[in-house]
Amino acid sequence: MNNIELSKGTSLPQVGLGFWKVSPEDAAQTVIAAIDAGYRHLDSAADYGNEAAVGEGIVQAIRAGQCSREELWVTSKLWNTDHKAEHVRPALERTLRDLQLDYLDLYMIHFPIALEYVDPAQRYPAEWFFEPSDPKPAMKPAKVPIYETWRAMEELVDAGLVKHIGVCNFGVSLLRDLLNYARIPPAVLQVELHPRLSQQKLLRFCADNDIGVTGFSPLGALSYVDIDMAQRDDSVLELEVIRTIASRAQRSPAQVVLRWAIQRGTAIIPKTTRPERLRENLALFDFELSEEEMKAIDSLNEDRRFNDPGHFCEAAFNTFFPIYE
């Protein structure tokens, strides 16, 4: 396993396992299988609704001697309804209880979207609607600046509850603004990255500012077909350029795309619950793509974003909420 060196001198394992869309029924066993396969980077979030099960898997793996807590990198994320300063630490503490951990390696702002607070006793995870039972439910934006949320995130580091803090789904303008006032700069940016959305300028900006990058949905469209946010023919895995490289390397098309991602210097968090796929997604460090092959995959970029609040919030949550424009 290769690592990404972060600004504090710590190392982020380059391949992790993402838990978005993993059912609570499958999550604990998936953690155990992943750690057994060699994963040491687990990426969760309160919004996924499975952190208690992920925590149970972590506890079982540690008790069985598969790994120690210190060997694991565990990430979670602050949900949109908890951006006000007084809600940040309670949200983290709930995540720590669910995961049965004393600290997180990385805690991230999930979206640059602040929504009105929802009491966890009323509904947890809070999800997107403010009041789902309304005749036409919608999101309810809250007036909370990122500055306020970030100050509260920094206090979590001061308290020893998290080792690093970061952000998800931020572009260069938001990052530049955040860096102007951050006492503790973001250690990691997590964004959608795949051959149809290569985000070259964003990666260059992060490299220039010592911000590590994790790509979610590294296989692109396949993460979104089952939730009607992409079509199966949007996948790059059937493209001739990918299949030709896969044939040359004697690897699967998915491994070629994942290798392209890590060879760019990013971490990735592909999701699977299948043991054979867990092993396949980790088997990326004994082959290399040529410069010409990397450029050929780079050329597939279309700036095609599948996970875009500017589209899905209006379609699914009756609220027009663009963030990237």
Side-chain angles (χ1 to χ4, degrees):
M1 173 71 75
N2 288 359
N3 299 305
I4 292 177
E5 300 303 317
L6 301 180
S7 57
K8 282 189 174 182
T10 53
S11 298
L12 170 65
Q14 200 167 13
V15 180
L17 179 62
F19 282 88
W20 179 46
K21 299 195 301 176
V22 175
S23 72
E25 293 75 20
D26 293 333
Q29 190 54 48
T30 299
V31 170
I32 294 167
I35 291 174
D36 184 62
Y39 287 80
R40 295 296 182 265
H41 174 183
L42 306 175
D43 184 274
S44 67
D47 183 58
Y48 301 163
N50 56 14
E51 286 198 317
V54 170
E56 185 56 37
I58 292 172
V59 168
Q60 290 184 36
I62 292 174
R63 285 176 179 167
Q66 290 179 270
C67 66
S68 67
R69 169 64 184 98
E70 292 70 28
E71 292 176 301
L72 292 177
W73 179 287
V74 182
T75 295
S76 187
K77 308 174 189 77
L78 178 79
W79 186 238
N80 305 337
T81 53
D82 293 312
H83 278 211
K84 288 185 179 179
E86 64 264 32
H87 301 313
V88 171
R89 180 161 177 163
L92 170 69
E93 289 174 341
R94 170 130 193 181
T95 277
L96 289 175
R97 288 195 301 271
D98 284 347
L99 292 173
Q100 301 185 54
L101 298 175
D102 296 324
Y103 68 91
L104 290 179
D105 298 276
L106 175 64
Y107 197 45
M108 314 186 83
I109 297 175
H110 204 149
F111 282 95
I113 296 174
L115 300 179
E116 286 294 338
Y117 177 70
V118 174
D119 189 335
Q122 174 187 342
R123 187 173 70 250
Y124 188 84
E127 300 182 328
W128 294 83
F129 286 133
F130 180 69
E131 183 45 75
S133 62
D134 282 349
K136 189 176 181 180
M139 297 160 54
K140 188 175 182 181
K143 294 183 178 181
V144 186
I146 293 168
Y147 175 90
E148 176 180 336
T149 308
W150 194 253
R151 283 286 182 262
M153 297 281 283
E154 291 173 327
E155 290 175 4
L156 302 178
V157 179
D158 296 339
L161 296 173
V162 303
K163 291 190 173 182
H164 304 85
I165 49 179
V167 293
C168 303
N169 302 298
F170 276 45
V172 167
S173 293
L174 284 177
L175 287 172
R176 195 186 301 277
D177 184 63
L178 175 57
L179 289 170
N180 284 335
Y181 56 76
R183 174 171 57 87
I184 301 175
V188 178
L189 168 70
Q190 186 178 126
V191 289
E192 181 181 347
L193 284 178
H194 45 75
R196 294 201 192 276
L197 183 67
S198 60
Q199 307 220 61
Q200 299 276 21
K201 288 183 285 186
L202 179 60
L203 294 191
R204 180 177 173 182
F205 177 86
C206 289
D208 288 346
N209 288 276
D210 295 321
I211 301 171
V213 177
T214 296
F216 69 77
S217 303
L219 295 176
L222 291 185
S223 297
Y224 301 97
V225 171
D226 63 339
I227 52 176
D228 297 324
M229 290 168 66
Q231 302 299 314
R232 188 160 293 278
D233 60 6
D234 290 323
S235 172
V236 297
L237 300 187
E238 299 299 324
L239 296 181
E240 182 177 354
V241 61
I242 299 296
R243 300 193 73 83
T244 297
I245 296 170
S247 177
R248 191 277 305 167
Q250 296 187 322
R251 299 296 173 126
S252 71
Q255 286 176 307
V256 167
V257 172
L258 297 179
R259 176 67 205 186
W260 168 82
I262 65 169
Q263 210 164 306
R264 300 172 83 209
T266 68
I268 53 174
I269 47 170
K271 169 259 177 184
T272 185
T273 58
R274 296 165 57 184
E276 67 276 17
R277 291 287 188 220
L278 287 170
R279 293 189 294 271
E280 179 182 315
N281 290 347
L282 208 58
L284 307 175
F285 299 98
D286 58 350
F287 75 105
E288 190 170 307
L289 303 182
S290 68
E291 183 178 349
E292 291 75 18
E293 289 169 335
M294 291 292 291
K295 288 180 179 178
I297 300 175
D298 288 343
S299 72
L300 300 176
N301 179 59
E302 303 170 336
D303 296 328
R304 175 71 185 279
R305 193 184 305 276
F306 296 106
N307 194 325
D308 186 349
H311 293 304
F312 73 73
C313 285
E314 186 167 28
F317 306 115
N318 303 318
T319 309
F320 178 53
F321 211 109
I323 65 172
Y324 295 115
E325 285 69 20

